[in-house]
Amino acid sequence: VRASDHVARLGGDEFTVVLEHADADEAIAHVAQSIVDALATPFTLTAGSGNLISASIGISVYPRDGHAAELLLKHADVAMYAAKADGKGCHHFYQPEMSEALLLRLSRERALRHAVERNEFVVHYQPRVDARSGRLSSFEALIRWDHPDRGVISPGEFIDLAEDTGLVVPIGDWVIREVVAQIARWKSDGERPVPVSVNVSPLQLRNGQFAALLLAALHEFRVEPALVEVEVTESAVVDRSVAVVQQLDAMRDGGIRLMIDDFGVGHSSLAQLHRLDVDVLKVDRGFTTALSEGSEGELLYRAIISMAEALEMTVVAEGVETLAQLRLLRTMGCDELQGYLISRPLPAEQVPGLLHQPVLPPFDKMELAATA
Ligand code: C2E
Ligand code: MG
Ligand code: MG
């Protein structure tokens, strides 16, 4: 900024820049972009290099967006929320129609905060099976919001908002404790539980507490680390910030298996994942949907499976919905399957029933075993 401009910290992590006698919007946008760029430069802490922060900037202009300081600040705030919602690291000029969108967002955010306070979440469990034998190999823990008026809401409707607002951290902490406690309950009921994987958001990893929390919960509930697995997306590990790598190392040292979720839609290379000691690739449902004999989907799957095999990673197919997909995946040598064909995600009470079944549908039909 110029020497004649003003910079103030209003509170928390919010700063205000006042540009006096600014000319055109382009000139203001230019300043905003320089600030975003300056903050985006990686910096070094004693813990290591490559640390990153980002900024979102909202802009209001006098007198167009208000005549009083309060209103100008309020509108800049609204525009900043719009910038955040647009993926952060950018700037937005205030527009009157933003206010309504913001009000809606704020009310959704308030509802989600209440849900966290009142503990309105439940975890469902979706089985994964061995592709050859059809035996249960593990479960994925999937959160649901049990809304008092609206009923069960799937994570697709609130996880993004939880990420944007940071609420994904307390929600994720709850999921971890709930899953570990549930495994302990199954054990004390005399069951022999299989491993359960938990989805972890990049924000939880960057926050730096995740591994310690998970290991502490395992210790508290006396659950072996081998019974918990962690799913992260490619983008979370490709970021390679010091905090994330430390979290992944701490989990691996603690004996927890690492899985890459939605593999194939991000920009990671297998070499990168190998260096991070990833144990399991969960191939994105999109590839499974595209599977049919002689299709491009089949080619891609074959390539992923052979590379993963060479690197000693396990391959899980996500979203298996048809027998045709199941057959193809078996013949291609895919290790494990997950999808509605085998089972939808189930409430915890129904898990013991699956633990006792020798093989899961549709493997229980002899006709399939013959093609093995
Ligand atoms: P994901 O981790 O890739 O989970 C798989 C999603 O695909 C689940 O949706 C599951 O119900 C759905 N699915 C499984 N089999 C099939 C199938 O055969 N066909 C179709 N169409 N869908 C199938 P869900 O439970 O709605 O979860 C959506 C996403 O929300 C998850 O994708 C995950 O990224 C996120 N999520 C779920 N639970 C948590 C959590 O505890 N923490 C965090 N951070 N994210 C979570
Ligand atoms: Mg997952
Ligand atoms: Mg997935």
Side-chain angles (χ1 to χ4, degrees):
V1 297
R2 300 164 304 187
S4 58
D5 299 325
H6 302 279
V7 181
R9 171 164 177 247
L10 290 197
D13 57 356
E14 294 192 358
F15 297 82
T16 301
V17 176
V18 182
L19 306 177
E20 283 187 82
H21 311 295
D23 342 300
D25 280 5
E26 293 79 62
I28 303 171
H30 182 76
V31 174
Q33 195 54 48
S34 322
I35 295 173
V36 167
D37 292 345
L39 288 174
T41 314
F43 57 92
T44 302
L45 296 173
T46 41
S49 59
N51 297 283
L52 285 176
I53 57 169
S54 67
S56 306
I57 299 182
I59 304 165
S60 59
V61 180
Y62 174 87
R64 182 171 81 202
D65 301 323
H67 287 273
E70 287 77 26
L71 198 59
L72 283 171
L73 276 175
K74 188 174 156 223
H75 286 164
D77 208 35
V78 167
M80 182 191 72
Y81 273 100
K84 279 193 189 202
D86 240 19
K88 308 201 166 106
C90 58
H91 59 82
H92 273 332
F93 282 86
Y94 173 73
Q95 274 151 15
E97 57 278 14
M98 279 175 180
S99 293
E100 206 172 308
L102 178 70
L103 282 180
L104 182 73
R105 194 191 140 86
L106 286 178
S107 89
R108 292 184 61 211
E109 183 178 335
R110 201 173 311 119
L112 192 59
R113 255 177 227 289
H114 280 171
V116 174
E117 284 157 16
R118 296 188 203 130
N119 208 349
E120 291 175 351
F121 300 102
V122 288
V123 177
H124 283 191
Y125 297 85
Q126 187 179 33
R128 279 189 288 271
V129 296
D130 182 283
R132 273 163 291 271
S133 66
R135 284 169 59 115
L136 177 70
S137 55
S138 48
F139 286 97
E140 174 172 11
L142 294 160
I143 193 170
R144 271 92 185 92
W145 178 0
D146 196 358
H147 195 284
D149 308 321
R150 293 181 51 201
V152 176
I153 301 175
S154 64
E157 281 192 53
F158 63 87
I159 283 292
D160 283 352
L161 184 66
E163 293 260 354
D164 289 350
T165 53
L167 284 170
V168 76
V169 174
I171 292 174
D173 291 353
W174 177 83
V175 170
I176 277 296
R177 279 187 69 81
E178 171 58 24
V179 167
V180 175
Q182 181 62 67
I183 296 173
R185 285 196 286 274
W186 284 323
K187 286 177 63 170
S188 72
D189 289 347
E191 303 291 349
R192 296 180 62 219
V194 292
V196 177
S197 63
V198 177
N199 293 284
V200 177
S201 98
L203 201 63
Q204 284 173 275
L205 290 181
R206 264 183 259 131
N207 167 277
Q209 305 295 318
F210 181 78
L213 226 125
L214 172 52
L215 295 169
L218 290 170
H219 185 75
E220 179 184 338
F221 292 99
R222 297 167 184 276
V223 168
E224 314 75 301
L227 285 179
V228 175
E229 300 165 331
V230 161
E231 298 193 11
V232 293
T233 56
E234 289 170 81
S235 54
V237 295
V238 167
D239 130 353
R240 305 254 319 148
S241 68
V242 185
V244 171
V245 173
Q246 279 173 349
Q247 293 293 298
L248 298 178
D249 285 348
M251 284 191 277
R252 194 186 25 247
D253 293 346
I256 293 162
R257 288 220 304 173
L258 184 61
M259 317 176 97
I260 296 296
D261 204 354
D262 307 337
F263 179 72
V265 296
H267 305 286
S268 59
S269 71
L270 279 175
Q272 241 168 346
L273 299 180
H274 187 57
R275 246 176 279 131
L276 287 170
D277 251 333
V278 168
D279 303 290
V280 183
L281 294 181
K282 297 189 72 178
V283 181
D284 188 69
R285 176 159 64 86
F287 291 90
T288 310
T289 311
L291 260 185
S292 59
E293 210 141 357
S295 65
E296 193 193 32
E298 185 189 340
L299 280 177
L300 290 173
Y301 248 109
R302 280 193 193 282
I304 294 172
I305 290 170
S306 69
M307 284 192 282
E309 196 170 51
L311 298 172
E312 296 184 331
M313 294 180 192
T314 299
V315 176
V316 180
E318 296 193 85
V320 181
E321 293 182 348
T322 68
L323 268 178
Q325 291 164 354
L326 180 149
R327 291 209 177 91
L328 254 175
L329 287 162
R330 290 181 99 190
T331 53
M332 290 190 292
C334 181
D335 300 295
E336 291 180 16
L337 312 175
Q338 179 178 359
Y340 292 167
L341 180 71
I342 292 123
S343 168
R344 296 215 165 227
L346 303 168
E349 312 84 83
Q350 294 185 31
V351 164
L354 296 193
L355 292 173
H356 301 153
Q357 251 165 275
V359 291
L360 297 198
F363 289 86
D364 49 354
K365 313 228 169 61
M366 293 312 292
E367 170 247 334
L368 254 176
T371 68

